[in-house]
Amino acid sequence: MSKPMIVPASRQPEAPKRYTVPMPMEGDNGLFTQSWYAVCMSGDVEKGKVIGRNFLDGKVLVYRGEDGVAQVLSAYCPHVGADVSAGWVTENRVVCPFHAWEFGRDGFVCKTGVGDPAPKNTGLFHFPTVERWGIIFAFNGLEPLWQLPDFYDQDGPVAGKRLSDDELIITTERVFSMNTDPWVVCANTLDQNHIITLHHISPEDLPGVERIRWRPHDVTYEFTARHWKNEFVKYSVGIYGTTFFYQSSTFDGRWFGILAPMGMPRPGVTEPYFVLAVKKGDGSEKALKEAKELSEYALDVERRFVWQDYSILTLIKFRQGTLTKSDKPLAKFLDHIRNYPRAHPAADFLR
Ligand code: FES
Ligand SMILES: [Fe+2]
């Protein structure tokens, strides 16, 4: 029989340290970080249709008017609470299935089903809504605090050239949900150690805290690295808000961009999406063939990254514990998250 190893009480590790200012999780005190959240894919809502989605601590509807414009509104009717996402769309208005009240894109009721005058100042909560890269986004706030970022070439958002969406071929897909808040997923970008230990990339010049750009609603930096087969890669990475990973990379001289916008169907759950961009080039058959090949290659590489992160993030119980010297960018990012604006203007509408 083998002997058990005994560690005396005097040599036991201390219980895991927790930073004295705990991390505010999404939904704590009824508040959520003010960010652009991915709500669904564009293809989930056809013209003239309405669907329902869980969002923050409640439910929203997403409808697309006959004009093709998508809008996110709170789901529960201000009349007696029916779920309007089970209703229908007429022209550019969404209609409650119970007593046929009609709501405009601003959320206000404009017509009742039996001809009673529409009550004043009554409606569904209107979320600022945009549609881009095949995804419908809603901002948690009355007005967006920041805009969705554009892609830039390899030199990044400060020194680089902006690329318009028209110059790019975009591929978008949904990724598996993870059991953690989106900002925990975002924190990985500032957890520079995991780039080495989990992703097995060899960075050549990771910037310290001073060379990272810290702004109120985004954090960005550049670095170069050797990839799995010693390929030279130039990275420009960043986090926008608390729900949006950005990367542009030049992989052996070929540029591609990656976005991971995130949704939050309820606190503690992240629904990530994956957007890959490659340059169209001159539009010739040769350029399109090269773009397609690069797309497939980049998707394969990035899916492997996502799996590596997924295996950790879906099980993590995140806390700011005992950090070491090279964790400084992560520590600063956690402070950035502590100070990030939080609100829940839709609180009384969503449940
Ligand atoms: S509950 Fe919506 S119209 Fe009555
Ligand atoms: Fe990662």
Short mmCIF file of all heavy atoms in Angstrom, two decimals, residues 192 204-214 219-224 329:
data_model
loop_
_atom_site.label_atom_id
_atom_site.label_comp_id
_atom_site.label_asym_id
_atom_site.label_seq_id
_atom_site.Cartn_x
_atom_site.Cartn_y
_atom_site.Cartn_z
N GLN A 192 -1.36 38.45 -20.49
CA GLN A 192 -0.35 38.16 -21.51
C GLN A 192 0.32 36.81 -21.25
O GLN A 192 0.81 36.18 -22.18
CB GLN A 192 0.67 39.29 -21.55
CG GLN A 192 0.03 40.61 -22.00
CD GLN A 192 1.02 41.76 -22.03
OE1 GLN A 192 2.04 41.73 -21.35
NE2 GLN A 192 0.71 42.78 -22.80
N GLU A 204 7.55 38.33 -29.02
CA GLU A 204 8.91 38.87 -29.06
C GLU A 204 9.00 40.20 -28.34
O GLU A 204 10.05 40.58 -27.88
CB GLU A 204 9.35 39.02 -30.52
CG GLU A 204 9.40 37.65 -31.20
CD GLU A 204 10.07 37.64 -32.55
OE1 GLU A 204 10.13 38.71 -33.19
OE2 GLU A 204 10.52 36.55 -32.96
N ASP A 205 7.89 40.94 -28.25
CA ASP A 205 7.97 42.27 -27.63
C ASP A 205 6.64 42.64 -26.99
O ASP A 205 6.03 43.64 -27.35
CB ASP A 205 8.36 43.32 -28.68
CG ASP A 205 7.35 43.36 -29.82
OD1 ASP A 205 6.51 42.44 -29.90
OD2 ASP A 205 7.37 44.32 -30.60
N LEU A 206 6.17 41.85 -26.04
CA LEU A 206 4.91 42.19 -25.37
C LEU A 206 5.08 43.50 -24.62
O LEU A 206 6.03 43.65 -23.85
CB LEU A 206 4.53 41.09 -24.38
CG LEU A 206 3.76 39.90 -24.94
CD1 LEU A 206 3.59 38.85 -23.86
CD2 LEU A 206 2.40 40.33 -25.49
N PRO A 207 4.17 44.46 -24.82
CA PRO A 207 4.34 45.74 -24.13
C PRO A 207 3.91 45.63 -22.67
O PRO A 207 3.02 44.86 -22.34
CB PRO A 207 3.39 46.66 -24.89
CG PRO A 207 2.33 45.75 -25.40
CD PRO A 207 2.97 44.41 -25.64
N GLY A 208 4.58 46.38 -21.81
CA GLY A 208 4.15 46.47 -20.42
C GLY A 208 2.99 47.46 -20.32
O GLY A 208 2.52 48.00 -21.34
N VAL A 209 2.58 47.72 -19.09
CA VAL A 209 1.43 48.59 -18.83
C VAL A 209 1.58 49.95 -19.53
O VAL A 209 0.63 50.49 -20.08
CB VAL A 209 1.29 48.77 -17.30
CG1 VAL A 209 0.39 49.93 -16.96
CG2 VAL A 209 0.76 47.50 -16.68
N GLU A 210 2.84 50.49 -19.55
CA GLU A 210 3.05 51.86 -20.08
C GLU A 210 2.81 51.93 -21.59
O GLU A 210 2.40 52.96 -22.11
CB GLU A 210 4.48 52.38 -19.84
CG GLU A 210 5.22 51.93 -18.60
CD GLU A 210 5.48 50.43 -18.52
OE1 GLU A 210 6.00 49.86 -19.50
OE2 GLU A 210 5.13 49.84 -17.48
N ARG A 211 3.10 50.85 -22.31
CA ARG A 211 2.95 50.91 -23.77
C ARG A 211 1.58 50.43 -24.25
O ARG A 211 1.30 50.39 -25.44
CB ARG A 211 4.07 50.11 -24.45
CG ARG A 211 5.38 50.91 -24.55
CD ARG A 211 6.23 50.45 -25.73
NE ARG A 211 6.71 49.09 -25.54
CZ ARG A 211 6.60 48.13 -26.45
NH1 ARG A 211 6.03 48.35 -27.61
NH2 ARG A 211 7.08 46.93 -26.20
N ILE A 212 0.73 50.05 -23.30
CA ILE A 212 -0.64 49.69 -23.66
C ILE A 212 -1.46 50.97 -23.62
O ILE A 212 -1.24 51.82 -22.76
CB ILE A 212 -1.20 48.65 -22.66
CG1 ILE A 212 -0.38 47.36 -22.77
CG2 ILE A 212 -2.68 48.38 -22.89
CD1 ILE A 212 -0.70 46.32 -21.71
N ARG A 213 -2.36 51.16 -24.58
CA ARG A 213 -3.19 52.38 -24.60
C ARG A 213 -4.45 52.14 -23.76
O ARG A 213 -5.24 51.26 -24.10
CB ARG A 213 -3.57 52.75 -26.04
CG ARG A 213 -2.38 53.19 -26.89
CD ARG A 213 -2.81 53.55 -28.30
NE ARG A 213 -3.30 52.39 -29.02
CZ ARG A 213 -2.52 51.56 -29.70
NH1 ARG A 213 -1.22 51.76 -29.77
NH2 ARG A 213 -3.04 50.51 -30.32
N TRP A 214 -4.59 52.87 -22.67
CA TRP A 214 -5.75 52.73 -21.78
C TRP A 214 -6.66 53.91 -22.02
O TRP A 214 -6.28 55.04 -21.76
CB TRP A 214 -5.29 52.71 -20.32
CG TRP A 214 -4.30 51.64 -20.02
CD1 TRP A 214 -2.94 51.75 -20.07
CD2 TRP A 214 -4.58 50.28 -19.66
NE1 TRP A 214 -2.35 50.54 -19.75
CE2 TRP A 214 -3.34 49.62 -19.49
CE3 TRP A 214 -5.76 49.55 -19.45
CZ2 TRP A 214 -3.24 48.27 -19.13
CZ3 TRP A 214 -5.66 48.21 -19.09
CH2 TRP A 214 -4.41 47.59 -18.94
N VAL A 219 -9.09 49.38 -24.70
CA VAL A 219 -7.70 49.11 -24.31
C VAL A 219 -7.06 48.39 -25.49
O VAL A 219 -7.59 47.36 -25.93
CB VAL A 219 -7.65 48.20 -23.06
CG1 VAL A 219 -6.21 47.91 -22.67
CG2 VAL A 219 -8.40 48.83 -21.89
N THR A 220 -5.97 48.93 -26.05
CA THR A 220 -5.40 48.33 -27.26
C THR A 220 -3.87 48.29 -27.18
O THR A 220 -3.26 49.10 -26.48
CB THR A 220 -5.80 49.15 -28.52
OG1 THR A 220 -5.47 50.53 -28.30
CG2 THR A 220 -7.28 49.05 -28.82
N TYR A 221 -3.26 47.36 -27.87
CA TYR A 221 -1.79 47.32 -27.97
C TYR A 221 -1.35 46.47 -29.15
O TYR A 221 -2.16 45.73 -29.74
CB TYR A 221 -1.14 46.85 -26.67
CG TYR A 221 -1.39 45.42 -26.24
CD1 TYR A 221 -0.51 44.39 -26.60
CD2 TYR A 221 -2.47 45.08 -25.44
CE1 TYR A 221 -0.71 43.08 -26.17
CE2 TYR A 221 -2.68 43.78 -25.01
CZ TYR A 221 -1.79 42.78 -25.38
OH TYR A 221 -2.00 41.49 -24.96
N GLU A 222 -0.07 46.60 -29.48
CA GLU A 222 0.52 45.82 -30.57
C GLU A 222 1.66 44.96 -30.05
O GLU A 222 2.30 45.32 -29.07
CB GLU A 222 1.10 46.76 -31.65
CG GLU A 222 0.06 47.37 -32.57
CD GLU A 222 -0.69 48.54 -31.95
OE1 GLU A 222 -0.02 49.40 -31.35
OE2 GLU A 222 -1.93 48.58 -32.03
N PHE A 223 1.90 43.83 -30.69
CA PHE A 223 3.10 43.04 -30.40
C PHE A 223 3.41 42.12 -31.58
O PHE A 223 2.56 41.93 -32.46
CB PHE A 223 2.96 42.24 -29.10
CG PHE A 223 1.97 41.10 -29.13
CD1 PHE A 223 2.41 39.78 -29.25
CD2 PHE A 223 0.61 41.32 -29.01
CE1 PHE A 223 1.51 38.72 -29.26
CE2 PHE A 223 -0.30 40.27 -29.01
CZ PHE A 223 0.15 38.97 -29.14
N THR A 224 4.62 41.61 -31.60
CA THR A 224 4.98 40.64 -32.63
C THR A 224 5.28 39.31 -31.95
O THR A 224 5.60 39.27 -30.76
CB THR A 224 6.22 41.08 -33.43
OG1 THR A 224 7.28 41.32 -32.51
CG2 THR A 224 5.95 42.33 -34.23
N PRO A 329 -0.39 44.02 -16.52
CA PRO A 329 -1.45 44.48 -17.44
C PRO A 329 -2.82 43.92 -17.07
O PRO A 329 -3.83 44.63 -17.15
CB PRO A 329 -0.98 43.96 -18.80
CG PRO A 329 0.50 43.80 -18.67
CD PRO A 329 0.72 43.37 -17.24
#
